[in-house]
Amino acid sequence: MKLLTCNSNIPLAKAMSKYLHVPLTNASVKRFADQEVFVEIHENVRGEDVFVIQSTHYPANDHIMELLVCLDALKRASAKRVTAVIPYFGYARQDRKMGSRTPISAKLVANIITAAGANRVLTVDLHAGQIQGFFDIPLDHLYAAPVIVNDIKNNYKNPKNIVIVSPDVGGVVRARSLANRIGADLAIVDKRRERAGQSEVMNIIGDIEGRDCILFDDIVDSAGTLCNAADALKKGGAKSVAAYVTHGVLSGKALERVANSALKWLVITDTIMTTEAVKKAKNIRVVSVAPLLGEAIKRISEETSVSSLFD
C-alpha cells in the first residue's frame, strides 16, 4: 500500500499516514509559471495499491485538476490499482438538473475522475446519495456519524435531553439516522427559501422546549440557513443550540455569522483543510476523520468489509 497526497489537505493526509503507519509517497505536485499543474512521483509505484488523498474544495477546479494529473501519472507509472480518496467531493450539490439547459456537474466530475485512471473512489458524506451511481467504478461512501456521535457523548451529560434537528426537510433522513444512533428525539426546521443563499425560517416541527438542540447537516457554506435555524430554535425555547456539520466550506461571511449567532458551538470535521481563521474562531471546533478514513483504506487494501465500520 502507498499513500500519496496532493496539496488540498496535507494535514489530514499526514494524520492518516500516522494512523496507518505508512509514510506518504515522495512526490511533487507543483505549478509552472502559467499555473499549469505538474506532478512527478519520486518512488517506484509499479504494481502497488495506491491511495491518492485530495479534497476538492475551494479552489475546486485547481484541486480537481491536481487530482486528475496525479491519477494519470500513477496510471502511466503502472500502479496496480489507484483509489481516489476524496474526503470532500466538490460539485456534489450539482447532482441534478435545476432547470432547462443546466448541467449535472457532479456526473461530469465523476466521469473525468474515472477517465483519468481511478479504479476506485473513497469519499465521506456525499451531499446526495445518488452520486454513488454517477461513478462506473466501485465507490465506498463513508459517514462521519461515528466521529460525531463520540463527540456528542463526550460533551453532553444528559443524552435524553438532546434533540437532533434537521435544518431543512431534505436532511431529515440524515438527522434521523444520527438521532437513532444516540437514542435522541428528532425535530425539523421548516423553511422557505426566497432566493439562492437566503432562507427564512417558518416553523419548528417537534418538541424543543427546554432541550439541548443539535443541528446536523452535511455541508455548511455561507452558514445562513444554519444560523437562521439556530436563532429560531433559541427563540422557540431551546435550552441550548449547537451544530454538527461534516464539511466546513465556510465561505464569504460564514465565520462572522456563526460568531454572532445563537450557536453554542459549531463542530466540523477536517475533510476540508482547517484555515487559521477557523482555528481562531471561539465557537468552532474541529474533529478529525483521519482514523475513519485510515481504517477504511486499510480494509480496502486488505479486501475486507468497509460497511462493518458502521455496524
Side-chain angles (χ1 to χ4, degrees):
M1 180 205 306
K2 284 188 177 290
L3 299 179
L4 187 151
T5 184
C6 300
N7 293 324
S8 74
N9 202 337
I10 294 173
L12 176 61
K14 287 181 177 178
M16 292 161 63
S17 169
K18 183 178 180 180
Y19 177 86
L20 290 165
H21 304 289
V22 175
L24 292 172
T25 298
N26 186 11
S28 300
V29 182
K30 300 184 292 187
R31 301 295 173 90
F32 289 126
D34 63 354
Q35 296 304 301
E36 282 187 9
V37 176
F38 173 73
V39 172
E40 185 175 8
I41 300 164
H42 305 297
E43 297 180 20
N44 180 31
V45 295
R46 185 179 296 273
E48 294 280 1
D49 191 10
V50 185
F51 295 83
V52 183
I53 304 160
Q54 177 80 334
S55 283
T56 54
H57 54 271
Y58 176 85
N61 299 335
D62 289 354
H63 288 150
I64 289 171
M65 198 65 205
E66 285 184 2
L67 174 60
L68 298 176
V69 177
C70 278
L71 292 172
D72 186 74
L74 289 165
K75 181 174 68 173
R76 296 179 188 279
S78 301
K80 180 178 70 175
R81 181 175 67 175
V82 183
T83 300
V85 181
I86 311 174
Y88 171 69
F89 183 74
Y91 285 94
R93 285 172 283 183
Q94 298 186 51
D95 62 306
R96 61 195 184 280
K97 285 178 69 69
M98 299 300 293
S100 300
R101 298 171 295 282
T102 59
I104 305 179
S105 300
K107 172 60 175 168
L108 172 64
V109 174
N111 287 345
I112 295 171
I113 289 171
T114 304
N119 301 112
R120 191 178 198 97
V121 170
L122 174 64
T123 190
V124 181
D125 277 341
L126 286 169
H127 183 63
Q130 67 262 26
I131 294 173
Q132 296 174 71
F134 291 177
F135 287 89
D136 295 324
I137 54 178
L139 182 144
D140 290 293
H141 186 203
L142 302 183
Y143 301 93
V147 177
I148 289 170
V149 167
N150 286 339
D151 193 86
I152 290 173
K153 288 180 177 178
N154 290 334
N155 285 281
Y156 286 87
K157 296 179 180 179
N158 184 10
K160 293 183 179 180
N161 197 49
I162 295 174
V163 180
I164 303 299
V165 184
S166 173
D168 53 38
V169 175
V172 170
V173 173
R174 185 184 302 110
R176 182 181 291 117
S177 176
L178 180 65
N180 289 339
R181 280 177 175 269
I182 62 176
D185 291 333
L186 177 70
I188 304 166
V189 176
D190 174 34
K191 73 175 191 299
R192 181 174 62 203
R193 189 182 295 274
E194 298 294 340
R195 59 182 65 88
Q198 295 185 11
S199 63
E200 179 184 356
V201 174
M202 301 299 293
N203 193 25
I204 307 296
I205 303 170
D207 180 18
I208 63 164
E209 185 77 33
R211 307 184 73 181
D212 296 311
C213 293
I214 297 176
L215 286 155
F216 182 51
D217 211 349
D218 63 322
I219 297 174
V220 54
D221 189 351
S222 65
T225 295
L226 202 67
C227 292
N228 286 346
D231 293 343
L233 289 166
K234 197 67 177 176
K235 290 177 183 177
K239 178 183 176 183
S240 69
V241 184
Y244 283 78
V245 182
T246 304
H247 307 298
V249 177
L250 297 172
S251 60
K253 296 183 178 180
L255 294 180
E256 181 182 337
R257 290 192 184 99
V258 171
N260 296 326
S261 72
L263 286 171
K264 180 181 178 182
W265 62 62
L266 166 63
V267 180
I268 58 175
T269 76
D270 55 354
T271 56
I272 294 174
M273 188 166 67
T274 307
T275 63
E276 286 302 317
V278 171
K279 291 177 183 177
K280 293 177 182 177
K282 293 182 179 180
N283 61 339
I284 299 179
R285 291 192 292 108
V286 181
V287 294
S288 182
V289 292
L292 177 68
L293 281 163
E295 185 62 29
I297 287 172
K298 178 183 176 183
R299 295 184 183 203
I300 291 170
S301 183
E302 294 174 350
E303 303 289 352
T304 56
S305 173
V306 173
S307 62
S308 60
L309 275 170
F310 308 102
D311 291 343

PDB file of all heavy atoms in Angstrom, residues 49-72:
ATOM      1  N   ASP A  49      -0.687  -0.786  -4.721  1.00  0.00           N
ATOM      2  CA  ASP A  49      -2.046  -0.341  -4.421  1.00  0.00           C
ATOM      3  C   ASP A  49      -1.921   1.073  -3.859  1.00  0.00           C
ATOM      4  O   ASP A  49      -1.498   1.261  -2.717  1.00  0.00           O
ATOM      5  CB  ASP A  49      -2.674  -1.291  -3.392  1.00  0.00           C
ATOM      6  CG  ASP A  49      -4.164  -1.070  -3.210  1.00  0.00           C
ATOM      7  OD1 ASP A  49      -4.773  -0.323  -3.997  1.00  0.00           O
ATOM      8  OD2 ASP A  49      -4.740  -1.657  -2.268  1.00  0.00           O
ATOM      9  N   VAL A  50      -2.286   2.081  -4.664  1.00  0.00           N
ATOM     10  CA  VAL A  50      -2.003   3.475  -4.312  1.00  0.00           C
ATOM     11  C   VAL A  50      -3.302   4.218  -3.979  1.00  0.00           C
ATOM     12  O   VAL A  50      -4.297   4.101  -4.705  1.00  0.00           O
ATOM     13  CB  VAL A  50      -1.274   4.211  -5.452  1.00  0.00           C
ATOM     14  CG1 VAL A  50      -0.878   5.620  -5.005  1.00  0.00           C
ATOM     15  CG2 VAL A  50      -0.043   3.432  -5.896  1.00  0.00           C
ATOM     16  N   PHE A  51      -3.256   5.007  -2.900  1.00  0.00           N
ATOM     17  CA  PHE A  51      -4.395   5.829  -2.476  1.00  0.00           C
ATOM     18  C   PHE A  51      -3.988   7.297  -2.587  1.00  0.00           C
ATOM     19  O   PHE A  51      -3.046   7.731  -1.916  1.00  0.00           O
ATOM     20  CB  PHE A  51      -4.803   5.488  -1.039  1.00  0.00           C
ATOM     21  CG  PHE A  51      -5.326   4.087  -0.883  1.00  0.00           C
ATOM     22  CD1 PHE A  51      -4.451   3.014  -0.738  1.00  0.00           C
ATOM     23  CD2 PHE A  51      -6.692   3.833  -0.890  1.00  0.00           C
ATOM     24  CE1 PHE A  51      -4.931   1.720  -0.599  1.00  0.00           C
ATOM     25  CE2 PHE A  51      -7.186   2.540  -0.747  1.00  0.00           C
ATOM     26  CZ  PHE A  51      -6.298   1.481  -0.610  1.00  0.00           C
ATOM     27  N   VAL A  52      -4.701   8.037  -3.439  1.00  0.00           N
ATOM     28  CA  VAL A  52      -4.413   9.459  -3.652  1.00  0.00           C
ATOM     29  C   VAL A  52      -5.401  10.286  -2.834  1.00  0.00           C
ATOM     30  O   VAL A  52      -6.612  10.203  -3.053  1.00  0.00           O
ATOM     31  CB  VAL A  52      -4.535   9.837  -5.141  1.00  0.00           C
ATOM     32  CG1 VAL A  52      -4.149  11.301  -5.338  1.00  0.00           C
ATOM     33  CG2 VAL A  52      -3.666   8.939  -6.002  1.00  0.00           C
ATOM     34  N   ILE A  53      -4.896  11.099  -1.912  1.00  0.00           N
ATOM     35  CA  ILE A  53      -5.746  11.863  -0.986  1.00  0.00           C
ATOM     36  C   ILE A  53      -5.873  13.300  -1.489  1.00  0.00           C
ATOM     37  O   ILE A  53      -4.863  14.012  -1.611  1.00  0.00           O
ATOM     38  CB  ILE A  53      -5.143  11.844   0.430  1.00  0.00           C
ATOM     39  CG1 ILE A  53      -4.944  10.401   0.902  1.00  0.00           C
ATOM     40  CG2 ILE A  53      -6.035  12.618   1.405  1.00  0.00           C
ATOM     41  CD1 ILE A  53      -3.955  10.246   2.039  1.00  0.00           C
ATOM     42  N   GLN A  54      -7.105  13.717  -1.777  1.00  0.00           N
ATOM     43  CA  GLN A  54      -7.321  15.069  -2.290  1.00  0.00           C
ATOM     44  C   GLN A  54      -8.780  15.474  -2.128  1.00  0.00           C
ATOM     45  O   GLN A  54      -9.670  14.931  -2.780  1.00  0.00           O
ATOM     46  CB  GLN A  54      -6.932  15.143  -3.773  1.00  0.00           C
ATOM     47  CG  GLN A  54      -7.170  16.483  -4.442  1.00  0.00           C
ATOM     48  CD  GLN A  54      -6.100  17.532  -4.171  1.00  0.00           C
ATOM     49  OE1 GLN A  54      -5.425  17.485  -3.152  1.00  0.00           O
ATOM     50  NE2 GLN A  54      -5.956  18.483  -5.070  1.00  0.00           N
ATOM     51  N   SER A  55      -9.038  16.441  -1.253  1.00  0.00           N
ATOM     52  CA  SER A  55     -10.365  17.051  -1.196  1.00  0.00           C
ATOM     53  C   SER A  55     -10.488  18.061  -2.324  1.00  0.00           C
ATOM     54  O   SER A  55      -9.487  18.647  -2.750  1.00  0.00           O
ATOM     55  CB  SER A  55     -10.582  17.746   0.154  1.00  0.00           C
ATOM     56  OG  SER A  55     -10.852  16.805   1.167  1.00  0.00           O
ATOM     57  N   THR A  56     -11.707  18.283  -2.804  1.00  0.00           N
ATOM     58  CA  THR A  56     -11.882  19.183  -3.947  1.00  0.00           C
ATOM     59  C   THR A  56     -12.710  20.404  -3.553  1.00  0.00           C
ATOM     60  O   THR A  56     -13.699  20.748  -4.189  1.00  0.00           O
ATOM     61  CB  THR A  56     -12.514  18.436  -5.134  1.00  0.00           C
ATOM     62  OG1 THR A  56     -13.728  17.802  -4.715  1.00  0.00           O
ATOM     63  CG2 THR A  56     -11.575  17.381  -5.666  1.00  0.00           C
ATOM     64  N   HIS A  57     -12.261  21.070  -2.461  1.00  0.00           N
ATOM     65  CA  HIS A  57     -12.894  22.311  -2.031  1.00  0.00           C
ATOM     66  C   HIS A  57     -12.224  23.493  -2.730  1.00  0.00           C
ATOM     67  O   HIS A  57     -11.417  23.307  -3.632  1.00  0.00           O
ATOM     68  CB  HIS A  57     -12.786  22.452  -0.504  1.00  0.00           C
ATOM     69  CG  HIS A  57     -11.380  22.342   0.021  1.00  0.00           C
ATOM     70  ND1 HIS A  57     -10.819  21.128   0.366  1.00  0.00           N
ATOM     71  CD2 HIS A  57     -10.413  23.261   0.231  1.00  0.00           C
ATOM     72  CE1 HIS A  57      -9.586  21.310   0.790  1.00  0.00           C
ATOM     73  NE2 HIS A  57      -9.306  22.608   0.703  1.00  0.00           N
ATOM     74  N   TYR A  58     -12.552  24.706  -2.297  1.00  0.00           N
ATOM     75  CA  TYR A  58     -12.015  25.919  -2.917  1.00  0.00           C
ATOM     76  C   TYR A  58     -10.481  25.963  -2.873  1.00  0.00           C
ATOM     77  O   TYR A  58      -9.900  25.658  -1.827  1.00  0.00           O
ATOM     78  CB  TYR A  58     -12.565  27.160  -2.205  1.00  0.00           C
ATOM     79  CG  TYR A  58     -11.988  28.466  -2.704  1.00  0.00           C
ATOM     80  CD1 TYR A  58     -12.536  29.092  -3.821  1.00  0.00           C
ATOM     81  CD2 TYR A  58     -10.891  29.044  -2.085  1.00  0.00           C
ATOM     82  CE1 TYR A  58     -11.998  30.276  -4.297  1.00  0.00           C
ATOM     83  CE2 TYR A  58     -10.349  30.229  -2.558  1.00  0.00           C
ATOM     84  CZ  TYR A  58     -10.907  30.832  -3.660  1.00  0.00           C
ATOM     85  OH  TYR A  58     -10.373  32.002  -4.142  1.00  0.00           O
ATOM     86  N   PRO A  59      -9.812  26.312  -3.969  1.00  0.00           N
ATOM     87  CA  PRO A  59     -10.369  26.488  -5.316  1.00  0.00           C
ATOM     88  C   PRO A  59     -10.622  25.129  -5.971  1.00  0.00           C
ATOM     89  O   PRO A  59      -9.668  24.407  -6.293  1.00  0.00           O
ATOM     90  CB  PRO A  59      -9.283  27.276  -6.051  1.00  0.00           C
ATOM     91  CG  PRO A  59      -8.010  26.913  -5.333  1.00  0.00           C
ATOM     92  CD  PRO A  59      -8.375  26.636  -3.914  1.00  0.00           C
ATOM     93  N   ALA A  60     -11.893  24.809  -6.123  1.00  0.00           N
ATOM     94  CA  ALA A  60     -12.304  23.455  -6.527  1.00  0.00           C
ATOM     95  C   ALA A  60     -11.669  23.013  -7.837  1.00  0.00           C
ATOM     96  O   ALA A  60     -11.181  21.882  -7.957  1.00  0.00           O
ATOM     97  CB  ALA A  60     -13.827  23.385  -6.636  1.00  0.00           C
ATOM     98  N   ASN A  61     -11.666  23.878  -8.833  1.00  0.00           N
ATOM     99  CA  ASN A  61     -11.161  23.483 -10.144  1.00  0.00           C
ATOM    100  C   ASN A  61      -9.667  23.167 -10.093  1.00  0.00           C
ATOM    101  O   ASN A  61      -9.198  22.211 -10.729  1.00  0.00           O
ATOM    102  CB  ASN A  61     -11.426  24.590 -11.167  1.00  0.00           C
ATOM    103  CG  ASN A  61     -12.911  24.861 -11.324  1.00  0.00           C
ATOM    104  OD1 ASN A  61     -13.750  23.992 -11.076  1.00  0.00           O
ATOM    105  ND2 ASN A  61     -13.258  26.074 -11.720  1.00  0.00           N
ATOM    106  N   ASP A  62      -8.905  23.947  -9.328  1.00  0.00           N
ATOM    107  CA  ASP A  62      -7.468  23.685  -9.185  1.00  0.00           C
ATOM    108  C   ASP A  62      -7.230  22.343  -8.498  1.00  0.00           C
ATOM    109  O   ASP A  62      -6.368  21.559  -8.904  1.00  0.00           O
ATOM    110  CB  ASP A  62      -6.805  24.793  -8.365  1.00  0.00           C
ATOM    111  CG  ASP A  62      -6.720  26.105  -9.123  1.00  0.00           C
ATOM    112  OD1 ASP A  62      -7.076  26.118 -10.322  1.00  0.00           O
ATOM    113  OD2 ASP A  62      -6.298  27.113  -8.532  1.00  0.00           O
ATOM    114  N   HIS A  63      -7.993  22.079  -7.448  1.00  0.00           N
ATOM    115  CA  HIS A  63      -7.794  20.842  -6.702  1.00  0.00           C
ATOM    116  C   HIS A  63      -8.240  19.618  -7.509  1.00  0.00           C
ATOM    117  O   HIS A  63      -7.618  18.552  -7.420  1.00  0.00           O
ATOM    118  CB  HIS A  63      -8.541  20.909  -5.368  1.00  0.00           C
ATOM    119  CG  HIS A  63      -7.899  21.845  -4.397  1.00  0.00           C
ATOM    120  ND1 HIS A  63      -8.604  22.529  -3.434  1.00  0.00           N
ATOM    121  CD2 HIS A  63      -6.600  22.226  -4.241  1.00  0.00           C
ATOM    122  CE1 HIS A  63      -7.772  23.273  -2.716  1.00  0.00           C
ATOM    123  NE2 HIS A  63      -6.562  23.106  -3.189  1.00  0.00           N
ATOM    124  N   ILE A  64      -9.292  19.771  -8.288  1.00  0.00           N
ATOM    125  CA  ILE A  64      -9.709  18.673  -9.160  1.00  0.00           C
ATOM    126  C   ILE A  64      -8.632  18.391 -10.196  1.00  0.00           C
ATOM    127  O   ILE A  64      -8.300  17.230 -10.467  1.00  0.00           O
ATOM    128  CB  ILE A  64     -11.057  18.997  -9.847  1.00  0.00           C
ATOM    129  CG1 ILE A  64     -12.195  18.939  -8.826  1.00  0.00           C
ATOM    130  CG2 ILE A  64     -11.337  18.025 -10.997  1.00  0.00           C
ATOM    131  CD1 ILE A  64     -13.527  19.444  -9.347  1.00  0.00           C
ATOM    132  N   MET A  65      -8.054  19.442 -10.771  1.00  0.00           N
ATOM    133  CA  MET A  65      -7.016  19.248 -11.785  1.00  0.00           C
ATOM    134  C   MET A  65      -5.786  18.567 -11.202  1.00  0.00           C
ATOM    135  O   MET A  65      -5.178  17.692 -11.832  1.00  0.00           O
ATOM    136  CB  MET A  65      -6.641  20.601 -12.408  1.00  0.00           C
ATOM    137  CG  MET A  65      -5.926  20.478 -13.738  1.00  0.00           C
ATOM    138  SD  MET A  65      -7.022  19.750 -14.980  1.00  0.00           S
ATOM    139  CE  MET A  65      -5.807  19.027 -16.096  1.00  0.00           C
ATOM    140  N   GLU A  66      -5.401  18.936  -9.975  1.00  0.00           N
ATOM    141  CA  GLU A  66      -4.282  18.255  -9.321  1.00  0.00           C
ATOM    142  C   GLU A  66      -4.564  16.763  -9.179  1.00  0.00           C
ATOM    143  O   GLU A  66      -3.688  15.923  -9.443  1.00  0.00           O
ATOM    144  CB  GLU A  66      -4.037  18.857  -7.934  1.00  0.00           C
ATOM    145  CG  GLU A  66      -3.374  20.207  -7.934  1.00  0.00           C
ATOM    146  CD  GLU A  66      -3.068  20.710  -6.542  1.00  0.00           C
ATOM    147  OE1 GLU A  66      -3.339  19.962  -5.558  1.00  0.00           O
ATOM    148  OE2 GLU A  66      -2.565  21.834  -6.415  1.00  0.00           O
ATOM    149  N   LEU A  67      -5.783  16.438  -8.764  1.00  0.00           N
ATOM    150  CA  LEU A  67      -6.167  15.038  -8.609  1.00  0.00           C
ATOM    151  C   LEU A  67      -6.085  14.295  -9.941  1.00  0.00           C
ATOM    152  O   LEU A  67      -5.528  13.187 -10.019  1.00  0.00           O
ATOM    153  CB  LEU A  67      -7.583  14.946  -8.047  1.00  0.00           C
ATOM    154  CG  LEU A  67      -8.206  13.547  -7.954  1.00  0.00           C
ATOM    155  CD1 LEU A  67      -7.386  12.639  -7.050  1.00  0.00           C
ATOM    156  CD2 LEU A  67      -9.651  13.631  -7.469  1.00  0.00           C
ATOM    157  N   LEU A  68      -6.604  14.896 -10.989  1.00  0.00           N
ATOM    158  CA  LEU A  68      -6.613  14.247 -12.305  1.00  0.00           C
ATOM    159  C   LEU A  68      -5.198  13.978 -12.808  1.00  0.00           C
ATOM    160  O   LEU A  68      -4.903  12.899 -13.330  1.00  0.00           O
ATOM    161  CB  LEU A  68      -7.368  15.115 -13.315  1.00  0.00           C
ATOM    162  CG  LEU A  68      -8.849  15.383 -13.025  1.00  0.00           C
ATOM    163  CD1 LEU A  68      -9.428  16.335 -14.066  1.00  0.00           C
ATOM    164  CD2 LEU A  68      -9.649  14.096 -12.971  1.00  0.00           C
ATOM    165  N   VAL A  69      -4.308  14.955 -12.654  1.00  0.00           N
ATOM    166  CA  VAL A  69      -2.940  14.793 -13.127  1.00  0.00           C
ATOM    167  C   VAL A  69      -2.213  13.729 -12.305  1.00  0.00           C
ATOM    168  O   VAL A  69      -1.441  12.931 -12.847  1.00  0.00           O
ATOM    169  CB  VAL A  69      -2.194  16.144 -13.098  1.00  0.00           C
ATOM    170  CG1 VAL A  69      -0.738  15.965 -13.522  1.00  0.00           C
ATOM    171  CG2 VAL A  69      -2.870  17.150 -14.020  1.00  0.00           C
ATOM    172  N   CYS A  70      -2.480  13.678 -10.991  1.00  0.00           N
ATOM    173  CA  CYS A  70      -1.892  12.627 -10.145  1.00  0.00           C
ATOM    174  C   CYS A  70      -2.368  11.242 -10.582  1.00  0.00           C
ATOM    175  O   CYS A  70      -1.575  10.290 -10.662  1.00  0.00           O
ATOM    176  CB  CYS A  70      -2.254  12.850  -8.681  1.00  0.00           C
ATOM    177  SG  CYS A  70      -1.222  14.036  -7.820  1.00  0.00           S
ATOM    178  N   LEU A  71      -3.657  11.121 -10.864  1.00  0.00           N
ATOM    179  CA  LEU A  71      -4.199   9.833 -11.307  1.00  0.00           C
ATOM    180  C   LEU A  71      -3.552   9.391 -12.607  1.00  0.00           C
ATOM    181  O   LEU A  71      -3.189   8.221 -12.775  1.00  0.00           O
ATOM    182  CB  LEU A  71      -5.722   9.945 -11.476  1.00  0.00           C
ATOM    183  CG  LEU A  71      -6.547  10.148 -10.203  1.00  0.00           C
ATOM    184  CD1 LEU A  71      -8.003  10.432 -10.553  1.00  0.00           C
ATOM    185  CD2 LEU A  71      -6.453   8.935  -9.280  1.00  0.00           C
ATOM    186  N   ASP A  72      -3.394  10.329 -13.534  1.00  0.00           N
ATOM    187  CA  ASP A  72      -2.782   9.995 -14.823  1.00  0.00           C
ATOM    188  C   ASP A  72      -1.320   9.584 -14.639  1.00  0.00           C
ATOM    189  O   ASP A  72      -0.848   8.622 -15.265  1.00  0.00           O
ATOM    190  CB  ASP A  72      -2.875  11.195 -15.770  1.00  0.00           C
ATOM    191  CG  ASP A  72      -2.389  10.859 -17.161  1.00  0.00           C
ATOM    192  OD1 ASP A  72      -3.114  10.147 -17.885  1.00  0.00           O
ATOM    193  OD2 ASP A  72      -1.273  11.275 -17.528  1.00  0.00           O
TER     194      ASP A  72
END
